Amino acid sequence: MMISVTRTPRVALPAPLGVILSLLVLAVIVGWSLAPGLFTGFDPAIGIPADKLQGPSAAHWFGTDHLGRDLLARVIHGTASSVSSAVIAVVIALVLGGLIGLLSGFLGGWVDTILARLVDVLLAIPNFLLAVIIVTALGFSTTNAAIATGISAVAVFARVMRSEVIKTRSATFVEASFLSGGSRWHILTRHVLPNASRSVLPLAVLRFGQSILVIAGLAFLGYGDPPPASDWGLLISIGKDYLKWPWLVYAPALVTVVTVLSLNRISRWLRKTD
Amino acid sequence: MQGAYMNYAAKRLLQAVVVVLLTYVFTFIVVSILPGDPVTNVLRDPQNGFTEAEIAQIVAAQGLDKPIPVQLWHSLSGFVTGDLGVSLRSSRPVSDLIAEVLPSTLRLAGGALAVALVLAMGIAYGARFLPHRFGGAALRALPSLFLSVPSFVIGLLLIHIFGFQLGLFMVIDPNSFWATFFAAVALGIPISAQIAEVLMANLDHEASQDYAAVARARGLRQSKLFFRHLLKPSSLPVVTVIALMVGEVLGNTLITETVFGRTGVGSLIQRSVVTQDLPVLQAIVSLAAVVFAVINLIADLIYPLLDPRVKLVGTAPRRVTTADELPRANA
Amino acid sequence: MASQDGLTPPLLRVDGLSVAYGPNEVVRDVGFELGRGKSIALIGESGSGKSTIARAVLRLLPAQGRATGRVAFQGQEILSLPERRFRPLRGKAIGFVPQDPGNALNPVRTIGAQAEEAAALLDERDPRIRRAIILDTFAQVGLDNPQRVYDSYPHQLSGGMLQRVLIGLAVLPRPALLVADEPTSALDVTIQKRILDLLSKLRQELDIGLLLITHDLAIAAERTDAILVLKGGEVQEAGPTARVFASPASAYARKLHADVPALNPDRYAALRDPGFARLKRAAPKIEVSNVTKTFSVDGRNLTAVDNVSFAVPAGTTHALVGESGSGKTTTIRLLLGLDQPDAGGITVAGTPLSGRAPETLREAWRHLQLVYQNPFTSLDPTWKVETLIREPLDRFGIATPKDRADRVREALANVGLGEHLLARKPAALSGGQRQRVAIARALVLKPDVIVLDEPTSALDVSVQADIVGVLLDLQANLGLTYVFVSHDLALVRQLAHSVSVMHRGRIVEHGPVSEIFDRPREAYTRTLLDAIPSGLSAPQPSRRLAEAVA
């Protein structure tokens, strides 16, 4: 009586291998953030002027910059700031957006109407522009760029959370819990929230990657911490003035791309496996 | 149906107007909590060379001495009547400043959307028709890659390859055809990825529907199945996606114009941010919201006319428009 | 089942067919033969591979599916045929009628546009003649206004009409073979009968061979010449319908026969019959009097429940029977207090439930529980079996935590599940196990009344039989009162003591089961009874269940 044919969705990469590689990449990134000194012996701030603008070699995998600093060391030491700012952004977006979506979907009525307009406003301003005016209001720094990036992603989380909450709220098992004597609070915390979160988690991972890009974009425009900070976006921004020595752009860009790609892959995997 | 549609259109229009006005208020609040006093920051800047008397005059003219709610009221009523105010930095009407740079940005944004659409269709339809081993799988992975590259890196890559290496355009002449073209490509690539993802997901969804199998059982060949059955239902949501992407394009011009050294709305924003020229920022953000609201209003008004399934009960039709909202695989 | 004269090859001959998805073999070594104008039923439960065989014959398996063996259509091997040489056979020589008519037509194209695709398979150049043929076909399959159907979009027609359209499109190119995959399982019983009658009629008129996929042994017995019983992808038994139906040789076919309610109305007589005495003597546990509920849909008022009254004596089962839209689900929502009636009164165990806010009903629900239709949606997928069953105890604060654990185990044992399942989540349970967990959840509160909303309609017949056994056991041991909602009259006959037949929001007839089934007074009740597939050759419009099984 049920269709016995199962269709597994086609995936681009062999799921386990791609995901395992992605997780390995993330492990390295986490290692770079927590203990950069373990991964490089070079000082990210002080270079040897004689060795400036050297191409990638066995000694300097990513080459050296215009002050003779090892680029890999700068990338590794810039990881903590790049990653932690993205974490801040995602946490802000997740908490604020999740709360808005949860209240809006669960309470409905005028709360939903008011919050829906707020979300509409956040959506109506182009995402990056919103981040720019907020970071302008808060002042230029990497942390403020992270906060701005987080706020600009609130609407996405609010919308997904709201639709998941509405879907879950009308699920049969929620009514079943109500009939079993469950209070609204019990239903909200034990049934609606865990089920709605199942779609929000992959979104958070996806947005983590996107936040790295947005923050890099803000750093590129000069809205983050100034040098000698070595956030990935800032490194690329500095490198663009030395296009004759392209590794100054492509090495930090490659690290950014591989990181974000891994996060996207993991997000897809989470979405599929649940 | 007619009455229902007019009812829906009226509601949707009202909603758009409300959102634009609220956006203006929101922007005003964000911008006016800027740390520091714009009067001190901008007007007393020695570079401007204003005398105290002139400053007092500007402050009085712009109402900067009034309480915030009063300023908001003046500013908002100006906006509603088409008056965008005066730049603090150059003392010129904001509308003039924007009008100067708008054509260049419109060319860039229009080009980017065109590039995005062509690329997205190429990826999605190519992935459907090319056999798995002949690149179909690689095409499917492309959007994810596109979404992992910072847009300024794409721009730098294009400048490096086509500007420096191949000499197709000169960086010092950003308005030449090729420079504009590659700027549009840089801006369009991340957009194309988002459209392609929605298009591919919708195509997969439609192809797995019973009706596709039944149509094949009626003897339809794959190409006919695609053009007659799958193309329309899978493309309809793209109308909405493109409308949503317009905002994305406008926001990202900021980066692309900086990378390619173009003058445009993006570089105007960049300049106003650095100089804290609040009226200009306020006007650009509000206009972006108007553009976004109008285009999405049009998309929402067209959609029910294209999709016979949509029943209008006063709310916007529900459909998947971003990859975030795609259903979970085993939900 | 040999071919008719030994010279012409059979219409369809399947030999050693196996289908695998990766390492996972879902059909193993299946073979059968179908002669021109004959019919064969592939019957089995979910996972038996019956639909996969149909798809393999049509060569519509998903990309990962691999079919091996031989499938010969009119003597021509088709499994190994290149797609471009097989495609001309699809539609023109082999027609397909799908399971769920609601999804089988493109929603954004008119029915006419899709009918033209079928008509294009005819050797007819003139578009006007093709159009006329389409409209004729629509009329032939019993669609009243062919032109209107032609111009409609799928969502503008009912499920029954859509299935007629699909059958029409399948037979229009005059195929020699029609593959029908559960063509009526998504439809109401009375419509099911009409669609099956239509298929039988077309098969005879047009001399089409029919490959019918079904889970219902009685339908197979009524409608086909031969039966192939499948389980887990393998053939359990095959042979002429009369033989397989009358004297099944394999254990599985015998079980399948025993589990069809229509064929065994007195299967649970020993557990059920003591309840009949209580119908007269026991005090009413539930009293529903003159209840009316009206909804506003798209600005129009729709009376979902219209002046409905019934009473259920303690310890008995009352069945609410009707087709979709008859108001039976609304009635039980009113009974539980999940919706409030516009008029009328509801009393359960002496406590009035109507006219109260949902918050004040909590105490009533300790004694009044609901088991939902679909166990795939009624259990929170993020919870474990143990917490799922314990939730009502926790919420009502019943007993100490230690006692709760004991009561969870007791409820689990009552529904026949082992304790090893306690740590599992619903996704790791079968459909039948899930529904048992749902019943255990209701049971753990030791309620007086359990409302069962089509509790077996999403399950296979053998699972249904188990669940019904569990329910009747519990009633006999614990003295429970049931309200049992169903569209399946044969099932109702097996387990209920009294029945209300609902139609368009009203109760058209009610009384003890024996009266309603043996001496129906209303025409609608008779239509419903006649629609029950009895397993005897169709059509038999006047034969009633009581005689059929005598």
Side-chain angles (χ1 to χ4, degrees):
Chain A
M1 83 208 313
M2 306 259 155
I3 302 174
S4 55
V5 180
T6 50
R7 293 193 185 89
T8 43
R10 259 187 278 164
V11 283
L13 296 161
L17 186 65
V19 173
I20 288 166
L21 282 176
S22 304
L23 288 170
L24 280 177
V25 167
L26 282 202
V28 171
I29 297 299
V30 169
W32 285 5
S33 326
L34 295 180
L38 287 183
F39 294 87
T40 176
F42 291 102
D43 190 303
I46 302 160
I48 304 158
D51 291 347
K52 71 172 181 180
L53 295 171
Q54 284 186 355
S57 64
H60 304 284
W61 289 6
F62 285 1
T64 59
D65 71 0
H66 59 290
L67 297 174
R69 294 176 294 197
D70 179 67
L71 191 58
L72 179 62
R74 288 188 53 72
V75 169
I76 289 175
H77 283 272
T79 306
S81 168
S82 301
V83 170
S84 63
S85 55
V87 171
I88 293 172
V90 170
V91 168
I92 288 173
L94 185 64
V95 171
L96 282 183
L99 205 62
I100 290 173
L102 192 64
L103 290 176
S104 172
F106 194 69
L107 298 177
W110 59 268
V111 177
D112 185 27
T113 312
I114 289 176
L115 292 175
R117 288 298 85 79
L118 175 66
V119 169
D120 280 347
V121 166
L122 291 175
L123 282 174
I125 305 174
N127 228 295
F128 193 70
L129 197 51
L130 180 59
V132 166
I133 62 161
I134 292 172
V135 79
T136 310
L138 297 177
F140 297 163
S141 81
T142 299
T143 308
N144 287 345
I147 294 170
T149 306
I151 294 174
S152 75
V154 161
V156 178
F157 280 89
R159 258 165 56 124
V160 171
M161 189 61 148
R162 176 175 180 272
S163 73
E164 285 297 316
V165 167
I166 287 175
K167 205 166 72 189
T168 312
R169 195 184 57 169
S170 60
T172 311
F173 63 77
V174 164
E175 190 181 273
S177 174
F178 187 49
L179 281 174
S180 311
S183 61
R184 275 167 81 83
W185 178 251
H186 167 79
I187 286 171
L188 178 69
T189 54
R190 300 297 311 280
H191 290 288
V192 173
L193 202 53
N195 278 284
S197 311
R198 295 199 302 168
S199 317
V200 176
L201 179 68
L203 178 64
V205 175
L206 188 74
R207 276 283 146 180
F208 184 34
Q210 296 306 306
S211 298
I212 292 180
L213 297 185
V214 174
I215 293 167
L218 292 171
F220 180 82
L221 293 176
Y223 303 157
D225 287 345
S230 58
D231 290 80
W232 297 345
L234 186 62
L235 288 177
I236 300 169
S237 172
I238 297 169
K240 78 170 188 298
D241 299 330
Y242 301 88
L243 266 187
K244 259 194 196 158
W245 301 275
W247 60 86
L248 290 177
V249 165
Y250 295 138
L254 187 71
V255 173
T256 313
V257 170
V258 169
T259 306
V260 178
L261 204 52
S262 302
L263 287 165
N264 288 355
R265 185 69 195 86
I266 291 167
S267 168
R268 256 160 220 273
W269 175 65
L270 285 175
R271 204 196 291 271
K272 286 213 170 88
T273 55
D274 222 322
Chain B
M1 175 73 195
Q2 279 302 324
Y5 182 78
M6 293 317 288
N7 198 358
Y8 160 76
K11 272 188 182 161
R12 190 60 193 74
L13 178 67
L14 184 70
Q15 194 189 339
V17 171
V18 169
V19 167
V20 167
L21 293 179
L22 285 177
T23 305
Y24 193 89
V25 175
F26 174 84
T27 314
F28 192 89
I29 293 169
V30 172
V31 168
S32 60
I33 59 160
L34 279 173
D37 177 11
V39 181
T40 327
N41 288 347
V42 182
L43 298 179
R44 297 225 163 81
D45 186 340
Q47 280 189 355
N48 270 344
F50 291 126
T51 65
E52 280 302 316
E54 281 170 327
I55 289 173
Q57 199 185 346
I58 294 174
V59 164
Q62 302 228 6
L64 293 176
D65 48 350
K66 305 248 170 54
I68 298 275
V70 178
Q71 289 189 40
L72 170 62
W73 176 250
H74 279 288
S75 170
L76 185 60
S77 37
F79 173 69
V80 171
T81 54
D83 175 10
L84 297 178
V86 177
S87 160
L88 282 182
R89 182 60 70 173
S90 64
S91 302
R92 293 180 55 203
V94 174
S95 41
D96 288 3
L97 291 176
I98 294 177
E100 273 168 24
V101 292
L102 198 59
S104 155
T105 296
L106 285 183
R107 266 199 305 278
L108 175 64
L113 277 176
V115 166
L117 206 54
V118 170
L119 257 180
M121 290 196 298
I123 292 169
Y125 302 152
R128 175 122 222 111
F129 275 112
L130 279 182
H132 216 55
R133 56 180 183 280
F134 296 132
L139 278 179
R140 285 189 157 259
L142 212 51
S144 184
L145 177 67
F146 283 177
L147 284 175
S148 306
V149 187
S151 59
F152 49 93
V153 170
I154 299 175
L156 292 173
L157 190 70
L158 293 173
I159 290 175
H160 187 211
I161 295 173
F162 296 99
F164 287 180
Q165 306 278 356
L166 301 177
L168 262 183
F169 61 93
M170 300 294 285
V171 184
I172 47 163
D173 180 17
N175 291 317
S176 70
F177 171 77
W178 285 114
T180 307
F181 173 78
F182 284 109
V185 170
L187 187 54
I189 279 179
I191 310 293
S192 78
Q194 303 190 50
I195 299 176
E197 286 210 322
V198 172
L199 210 47
M200 285 196 301
N202 280 317
L203 263 176
D204 285 350
H205 175 74
E206 297 297 335
S208 71
Q209 293 294 296
D210 279 355
Y211 77 76
V214 175
R216 280 187 68 199
R218 223 177 279 139
L220 253 59
R221 67 183 79 224
Q222 285 286 353
S223 57
K224 271 194 180 161
L225 179 72
F226 176 79
F227 285 110
R228 285 196 190 162
H229 284 275
L230 307 182
L231 191 61
K232 185 178 173 190
S234 64
S235 309
L236 283 174
V238 173
V239 173
T240 321
V241 183
I242 293 172
L244 287 172
M245 288 300 118
V246 166
E248 196 100 334
V249 170
L250 290 178
N252 290 352
T253 51
L254 190 55
I255 287 181
T256 307
E257 288 181 353
T258 306
V259 170
F260 283 82
R262 298 171 63 89
T263 15
V265 177
S267 58
L268 181 60
I269 297 172
Q270 170 77 327
R271 215 163 54 234
S272 312
V273 164
V274 175
T275 59
Q276 300 221 332
D277 200 342
L278 306 188
V280 179
L281 276 184
Q282 169 82 53
I284 292 176
V285 173
S286 307
L287 284 183
V290 171
V291 171
F292 183 85
V294 168
I295 288 180
N296 279 278
L297 177 65
I298 293 171
D300 280 357
L301 292 183
I302 290 177
Y303 195 91
L305 305 178
L306 298 178
D307 191 338
R309 281 168 299 181
V310 175
K311 270 207 233 154
L312 296 162
V313 269
T315 48
R318 182 82 197 103
R319 65 251 170 206
V320 172
T321 48
T322 69
D324 301 335
E325 292 171 59
L326 297 177
R328 289 192 301 271
N330 56 351
Chain C
M1 262 198 288
S3 53
Q4 294 94 325
D5 51 15
L7 293 172
T8 47
L11 180 65
L12 181 71
R13 187 188 164 87
V14 174
D15 264 324
L17 175 70
S18 296
V19 181
Y21 293 102
N24 191 2
E25 201 167 51
V26 293
V27 170
R28 239 183 318 280
D29 195 25
V30 168
F32 59 91
E33 208 177 280
L34 175 64
R36 192 169 176 84
K38 298 287 179 189
S39 56
I40 187 168
L42 303 187
I43 135 152
E45 301 185 283
S46 47
S48 64
K50 57 190 191 302
S51 291
T52 309
I53 296 171
R55 299 237 162 193
V57 168
L58 290 156
R59 300 217 354 203
L60 287 176
L61 289 171
Q64 308 88 340
R66 279 280 159 277
T68 52
R70 280 177 50 84
V71 176
F73 176 73
Q74 294 177 331
Q76 186 185 23
E77 161 62 32
I78 55 175
L79 220 48
S80 56
L81 223 52
E83 172 74 13
R84 74 187 154 74
R85 290 196 38 215
F86 178 71
R87 196 173 44 72
L89 293 176
R90 276 204 202 107
K92 192 155 172 57
I94 307 176
F96 177 49
V97 180
Q99 177 171 21
D100 179 4
N103 287 325
L105 287 161
N106 191 325
V108 299
R109 302 181 68 215
T110 62
I111 284 166
Q114 301 179 66
E116 293 290 351
E117 289 172 359
L121 297 169
L122 296 167
D123 297 319
E124 178 52 65
R125 292 264 174 78
D126 188 338
R128 280 167 308 176
I129 297 182
R130 283 207 304 262
R131 176 81 169 260
I133 292 174
I134 293 170
L135 297 180
D136 278 353
T137 309
F138 284 170
Q140 194 183 7
V141 295
L143 291 162
D144 289 338
N145 190 341
Q147 186 60 50
R148 191 178 73 83
V149 170
Y150 185 94
D151 294 329
S152 297
Y153 284 99
H155 69 269
Q156 295 165 325
L157 303 184
S158 70
M161 288 170 88
L162 288 176
Q163 196 58 297
R164 285 174 193 274
V165 167
L166 284 158
I167 290 172
L169 297 194
V171 299
L172 189 149
R174 296 284 176 270
L177 170 66
L178 196 61
V179 179
D181 185 1
E182 302 246 20
T184 58
S185 66
L187 304 172
D188 271 327
V189 270
T190 52
I191 298 164
Q192 161 173 307
K193 181 174 188 315
R194 281 184 237 142
I195 294 289
L196 289 171
D197 287 346
L198 170 65
L199 273 175
S200 302
K201 184 187 82 145
L202 289 172
R203 188 169 71 78
Q204 279 159 14
E205 285 174 8
L206 308 174
D207 199 26
I208 297 174
L210 175 68
L211 177 61
L212 178 71
I213 317 295
T214 180
H215 65 275
D216 191 327
L217 186 64
I219 288 181
E222 275 183 9
R223 308 286 172 173
T224 57
D225 308 319
I227 286 181
L228 194 74
V229 180
L230 291 154
K231 184 191 179 207
E234 287 179 275
V235 178
Q236 301 296 311
E237 186 164 357
T241 301
R243 210 270 299 145
V244 175
F245 190 67
S247 50
S250 66
Y252 182 69
R254 273 199 298 276
K255 175 163 168 45
L256 216 50
H257 192 279
D259 288 341
V260 175
L263 307 178
N264 310 279
D266 293 321
R267 175 168 176 178
Y268 304 101
L271 291 169
R272 176 194 61 188
D273 290 352
F276 285 122
R278 288 195 282 274
L279 271 186
K280 296 226 169 59
R281 278 188 275 119
K285 197 79 180 171
I286 299 168
E287 281 181 290
V288 173
S289 46
N290 308 103
V291 161
T292 297
K293 177 76 180 173
T294 303
F295 292 106
S296 172
V297 181
D298 291 335
R300 285 181 315 161
N301 281 338
L302 187 89
T303 305
V305 173
D306 191 359
N307 199 19
V308 160
S309 304
F310 61 89
V312 187
T316 68
T317 302
H318 183 76
L320 289 176
V321 172
E323 298 183 279
S324 50
S326 62
K328 52 192 197 304
T329 300
T330 310
T331 305
I332 59 160
R333 290 186 68 80
L334 295 172
L335 173 59
L336 284 154
L338 290 168
D339 282 319
Q340 285 300 324
D342 301 330
I346 295 166
T347 308
V348 176
T351 318
L353 290 190
S354 44
R356 289 166 59 176
E359 293 74 31
T360 66
L361 288 167
R362 206 167 160 264
E363 209 39 45
W365 289 333
R366 272 189 69 161
H367 310 288
L368 172 64
Q369 281 290 305
L370 172 66
V371 173
Y372 289 90
Q373 176 173 17
N374 189 345
F376 290 83
T377 58
S378 67
L379 302 175
D380 189 328
T382 62
W383 284 40
K384 291 191 177 124
V385 169
E386 180 172 15
T387 40
L388 279 168
I389 300 178
R390 212 182 55 218
E391 187 184 20
L393 295 176
D394 291 343
R395 290 304 110 208
F396 284 111
I398 295 169
T400 63
K402 160 97 188 48
D403 290 346
R404 285 180 204 165
D406 291 341
R407 285 179 71 163
V408 167
R409 284 180 168 72
E410 189 191 331
L412 200 67
N414 272 333
V415 297
L417 291 180
E419 291 189 6
H420 63 286
L421 299 176
L422 281 174
R424 292 211 194 154
K425 288 190 176 173
L429 302 178
S430 69
Q433 287 173 329
R434 290 183 207 209
Q435 197 59 299
R436 283 166 190 252
V437 169
I439 294 171
R441 250 174 83 90
L443 217 52
V444 77
L445 285 170
K446 302 201 164 77
D448 306 327
V449 180
I450 299 184
V451 179
L452 302 139
D453 183 8
E454 306 232 21
T456 59
S457 68
L459 306 172
D460 279 325
V461 274
S462 63
V463 182
Q464 165 171 293
D466 292 349
I467 298 276
V468 169
V470 166
L471 288 173
L472 287 171
D473 254 344
L474 291 170
Q475 184 171 47
N477 294 332
L478 307 174
L480 297 172
T481 307
Y482 290 142
V483 175
F484 191 93
V485 175
S486 184
H487 67 275
D488 184 345
L489 275 101
L491 180 62
V492 163
R493 157 124 240 191
Q494 274 191 321
L495 59 80
H497 301 107
S498 56
V499 187
S500 296
V501 178
M502 292 196 72
H503 186 46
R504 294 184 184 158
R506 294 167 173 273
I507 291 183
V508 293
E509 186 164 7
H510 69 100
V513 180
S514 49
E515 250 175 54
I516 301 291
F517 279 78
D518 298 341
R519 292 178 296 281
R521 291 183 303 273
E522 296 295 319
Y524 180 71
T525 313
R526 250 173 264 136
T527 316
L528 278 184
L529 288 172
D530 288 339
I532 302 175
S534 63
L536 300 178
S537 299
Q540 315 166 330
S542 62
R543 190 177 287 262
R544 291 200 287 278
L545 180 85
E547 303 157 35
V549 295

